């Protein structure tokens, strides 16, 4: 069983609680010889968690000794300035709105104290838990402010036990006992790995980029080369500090928790795929069209239509011919993509799309039986697939259909077997975005190859993109992460 020590700044702070042989002052802990045993747990209850204060040095010393400590240095740093923790709080906005009826009907401020992730207010326990997940700290105080009819978290701070009221001292003692039994005494992993990788996934997503079987293959491949890999969900935002890298396997969007996870990973200075830059650039088809055009990469003929310039519609019909493909700027999985066959259809559909966007992308219609999808990782081709059109439809996905008619078939092959003009075009296109993982959709008409779009977060699915490489497909992805984690830890070598 792990040894546990409670470290306080002043022994008088522990007077309201039962004596404990595991109680140490900061000076006692500082002078104590590091334990040769694994699994020492430190609960840092020092009053002063300011930078260079006793509480800060207590956590710093614990981490240097390899002890597990609560709060960590990273948590202390995050709580020190609002601009550092405000990103995490935005992930709780929805839950706060849901719970605001329990934040008080009178007044404009409300304070909630959280003890090891718990509170006596039953209706706010889920909020307390998520606050603790974000900022693992023995005692937290979240201050809420009412703005109009809506409550928001104004600030979060750690609280010393010397500041607790008598009723709160009982609550703290019960929470400490529960936390110690349920969390701190879990057995440590028997096998050690060089790095820890989190894979963010949503088991409820209808069209996930990787199936459950594929995710399991990533986990096995990671552990095979020394990366302990764990699948996490959006509820594990506060746990990112436990990992050395993040691999996002949910469909990404800028106004989505996937983007917030990527932001936090970058803030923590750990490798992340997809990074925020890739999500931003690949999510917007208008941006991609401009980027590809400015760098003279082959694409279908493309025009940008403006809501305030109705004359651009007639110009599109003349320049692109009919039919025309219309795309909203931020669609994915063939959603938000429409084919119009006449000027009347063009006017009607754009009028509908202009209700939600001032710009719409219009492209020349290039019918093909299939699209090439070239997977690119770290600037190198990873896989090559032919995605065939859904039966009786002009796209790979037909969202109006059901069953097997919803998507077309596929053929996966070695990158060397795919047309090298398509592969080179894909690699060059990805070089304009970054060094992450991308899927480039390319149409082929005779000897003409044209980039349709660059996708961040491309599919790597069991029985599809991995058909040719098998387990090697997952190993190459994990090897990329291992290399990146080495680079982040030791610098370029």
């Amino acid at each position: 069983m792990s040894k546990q020590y409670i470290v306080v700044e002043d022994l008088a702070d522990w007077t309201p609680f039962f004596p404990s042989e595991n109680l140490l002052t900061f000076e006692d802990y500082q002078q104590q010889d590091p334990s040769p045993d694994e699994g020492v747990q430190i609960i840092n209850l020092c009053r002063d968690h300011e930078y260079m204060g006793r509480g800060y040095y207590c956590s710093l010393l614990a981490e240097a000794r390899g002890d597990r400590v609560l709060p960590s240095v990273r948590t202390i740093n995050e709580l020190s300035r609002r601009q550092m923790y405000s990103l995490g709080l935005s992930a709780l906005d929805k839950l706060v709105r849901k719970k605001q009826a329990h934040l008080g009907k009178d007044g404009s401020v409300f304070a909630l104290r959280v003890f090891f992730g718990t509170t006596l207010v039953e209706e706010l326990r889920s909020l307390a838990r998520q606050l603790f997940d974000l900022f693992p700290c023995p005692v937290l105080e979240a201050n809420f402010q009412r703005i109009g009819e809506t409550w928001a978290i104004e600030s979060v701070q750690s609280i010393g036990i010397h500041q607790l009221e008598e009723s709160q001292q009982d609550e703290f003692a019960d929470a400490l006992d529960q936390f110690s039994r349920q969390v701190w005494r879990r057995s440590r992993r028997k096998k050690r790995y060089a790095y820890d990788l989190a894979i963010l996934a949503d088991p409820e997503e209808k069209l996930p980029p990787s199936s459950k079987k594929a995710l399991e293959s990533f986990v096995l491949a990671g552990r095979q080369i020394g990366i302990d890999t764990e699948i996490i969900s959006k509820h594990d935002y506060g746990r990112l500090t436990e990992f050395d890298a993040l691999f996002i396997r949910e469909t990404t969007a800028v106004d989505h928790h996937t983007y917030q996870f990527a932001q936090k990973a970058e803030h923590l200075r750990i490798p992340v795929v997809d990074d925020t830059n890739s999500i931003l650039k690949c999510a917007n088809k208008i941006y991609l069209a401009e980027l590809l055009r400015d760098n003279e990469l082959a694409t279908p003929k493309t025009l940008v239509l403006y809501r305030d310039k109705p004359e651009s519609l007639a110009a599109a019909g003349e320049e692109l011919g009919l039919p025309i493909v219309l795309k909203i700027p931020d669609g994915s999985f063939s959603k938000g993509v429409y084919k119009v066959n006449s000027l009347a259809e063009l006017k009607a559909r754009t009028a509908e799309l202009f209700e939600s966007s001032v710009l719409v992308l219009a492209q020349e219609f290039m019918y093909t039986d299939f699209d090439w999808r070239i997977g690119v990782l770290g600037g190198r081709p990873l896989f090559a697939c032919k995605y065939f059109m859904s039966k009786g439809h002009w796209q790979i996905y037909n969202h109006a259909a059901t069953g097997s008619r919803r998507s077309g078939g596929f053929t996966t092959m070695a990158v060397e077997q795919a047309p090298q003009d398509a592969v080179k075009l894909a690699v060059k296109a990805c070089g304009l975005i970054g060094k992450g993982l991308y899927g480039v959709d390319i149409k082929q008409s005779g000897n003409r190859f044209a980039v349709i779009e660059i996708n961040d977060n491309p599919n790597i699915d069991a029985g599809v993109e991995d058909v040719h490489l098998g387990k090697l497909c997952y190993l190459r992805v994990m090897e990329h992460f291992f290399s990146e984690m080495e680079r982040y830890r030791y610098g370029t070598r």
Side-chain angles (χ1 to χ4, degrees):
M1 184 179 293
S2 300
K3 289 184 179 179
Q4 182 186 97
Y5 294 104
I6 297 170
V7 180
V8 294
E9 196 163 312
D10 187 334
L11 288 176
D13 292 344
W14 195 256
T15 303
F17 309 104
F18 287 115
S20 172
E21 61 182 15
N22 294 331
L23 183 68
L24 300 173
T25 64
F26 169 68
E27 285 73 16
D28 290 336
Y29 178 61
Q30 187 181 22
Q31 295 168 15
Q32 186 183 60
D33 292 330
S35 172
D37 301 323
E38 293 184 358
V40 175
Q41 325 287 1
I42 303 296
I43 296 181
N44 175 4
L45 297 179
C46 291
R47 293 183 177 189
D48 184 9
H49 283 172
E50 294 294 322
Y51 180 65
M52 308 287 274
R54 285 185 176 86
Y56 179 87
Y57 276 120
C58 177
S59 290
L60 191 68
L61 181 60
E63 291 184 7
R65 292 178 175 179
D67 298 342
R68 294 175 65 194
V69 61
L70 188 79
S72 66
V73 173
R74 194 182 300 276
T75 297
I76 291 173
N77 284 334
E78 285 189 345
L79 288 172
S80 66
R81 294 193 299 276
R82 179 175 172 80
Q83 61 264 38
M84 295 185 71
Y85 65 72
S86 58
L87 173 64
L89 293 182
S90 64
L92 297 181
D93 287 344
K94 190 174 182 179
L95 182 58
V96 170
R97 289 194 296 270
K98 186 178 179 182
K99 300 292 185 181
Q100 61 186 17
H102 306 289
L103 297 176
K105 297 180 181 179
D106 301 320
S108 59
V109 295
F110 179 83
L112 174 69
R113 286 196 173 173
V114 177
F115 303 94
F116 296 96
T118 69
T119 176
L120 292 180
V121 184
E122 185 176 352
E123 295 83 0
L124 297 179
R125 283 176 184 166
S126 59
L127 180 57
R129 182 67 211 182
Q130 290 201 35
L131 279 166
F132 181 74
D133 287 342
L134 281 173
F135 312 110
C137 200
V139 186
L140 286 170
E141 181 174 274
N143 294 292
F144 299 79
Q145 184 173 13
R146 189 206 299 268
I147 304 172
E149 296 299 319
T150 304
W151 286 90
I153 301 177
E154 175 62 24
S155 65
V156 180
Q157 59 185 323
S158 62
I159 297 293
I161 57 172
H162 66 290
Q163 297 173 273
L164 301 182
E165 299 172 5
E166 188 173 347
S167 60
Q168 293 173 334
Q169 291 169 355
D170 292 336
E171 189 177 352
F172 168 81
D174 290 341
L176 171 60
D177 181 62
Q178 188 76 2
F179 182 80
S180 298
R181 286 189 287 111
Q182 290 191 356
V183 180
W184 288 81
R185 295 182 184 179
R186 287 178 181 168
S187 59
R188 295 172 65 88
R189 293 168 180 160
K190 293 181 180 180
K191 187 174 181 179
R192 288 189 172 273
Y193 296 87
Y195 295 102
D196 295 291
L197 169 69
I199 298 181
L200 177 63
D202 178 4
E204 304 301 322
E205 187 174 2
K206 291 182 180 179
L207 292 171
S210 289
S211 63
K212 182 180 178 181
K213 186 175 180 181
L215 294 176
E216 291 171 352
S217 296
F218 280 123
V219 171
L220 292 174
R223 291 175 179 171
Q224 186 175 336
I225 62 170
I227 304 173
D228 194 10
T229 306
E230 180 181 346
I231 299 171
I232 65 171
S233 74
K234 64 181 180 181
H235 302 298
D236 294 309
Y237 184 85
R239 295 186 55 214
L240 274 187
T241 56
E242 300 175 20
F243 300 96
D244 301 299
L246 172 65
F247 187 21
I248 299 176
R249 288 281 81 195
E250 281 190 58
T251 303
T252 56
V254 175
D255 58 343
H256 193 247
H257 66 263
T258 49
Y259 188 81
Q260 293 174 333
F261 269 76
Q263 273 188 312
K264 180 152 188 178
E266 290 169 357
H267 169 67
L268 296 174
R269 297 182 181 178
I270 62 174
V272 55
V273 174
D274 304 309
D275 59 277
T276 56
N277 184 61
S278 296
I279 296 173
L280 277 169
K281 290 180 176 179
C282 293
N284 194 290
K285 294 179 173 61
I286 302 291
Y287 173 87
L288 285 178
E290 294 288 326
L291 183 70
L292 295 169
R293 185 197 65 186
D294 291 348
N295 287 274
E296 300 181 346
L297 294 190
T299 64
K301 292 179 184 178
T302 303
L303 292 176
V304 178
L305 306 181
Y306 300 86
R307 183 168 61 193
D308 299 329
K309 293 183 178 180
E311 65 273 13
S312 63
L313 300 186
E318 292 177 7
E319 189 166 339
L320 302 179
L322 292 168
I324 291 175
V325 176
L326 300 176
K327 299 180 178 181
I328 60 174
D330 59 351
S332 62
F333 285 108
S334 300
K335 293 179 179 178
V337 181
Y338 307 92
K339 184 178 71 168
V340 295
N341 298 298
S342 66
L343 286 177
E345 271 191 79
L346 176 62
K347 291 178 181 179
R349 181 63 75 178
T350 52
E352 177 187 325
L353 299 179
F354 281 145
E355 290 180 4
S356 58
S357 176
V358 296
L359 302 177
V360 171
L361 199 71
Q363 281 190 333
E364 158 197 13
F365 177 63
M366 290 180 63
Y367 178 79
T368 56
D369 291 329
F370 62 87
D371 286 352
W372 285 105
R373 167 65 67 85
I374 307 297
V376 179
L377 174 64
R380 296 181 179 180
L382 177 65
F383 62 81
C385 282
K386 283 181 178 180
Y387 295 157
F388 291 90
M389 302 302 153
S390 176
K391 190 172 181 179
H393 192 59
W394 59 280
Q395 293 173 285
I396 293 167
Y397 290 101
N398 182 0
H399 294 280
T402 58
S404 61
R405 295 175 64 89
R406 191 170 191 183
S407 62
F410 65 90
T411 299
T412 307
M413 63 193 71
V415 169
E416 294 76 17
Q417 294 176 311
Q420 291 308 291
D421 286 345
V423 175
K424 291 176 183 177
L425 182 60
V427 171
K428 191 171 183 180
C430 293
L432 303 176
I433 305 296
K435 291 291 186 179
L437 174 63
Y438 310 101
V440 185
D441 292 339
I442 295 175
K443 283 193 176 292
Q444 178 183 0
S445 179
N447 293 324
R448 179 190 177 192
F449 294 90
V451 176
I452 302 300
E453 60 187 23
I454 308 168
N455 302 278
D456 70 301
N457 202 253
N459 281 48
I460 296 182
D461 225 340
V464 185
E465 289 79 13
D466 67 352
V467 164
H468 176 73
L469 290 175
K471 294 180 180 179
L472 185 57
C473 179
Y474 304 98
L475 277 170
R476 286 185 178 174
V477 174
M478 291 297 106
E479 286 167 352
H480 172 80
F481 273 105
F482 194 98
S483 176
E484 285 296 287
M485 288 185 281
E486 289 275 285
R487 184 173 67 85
Y488 273 58
R489 178 175 289 183
Y490 301 113
T492 303
R493 294 187 291 179

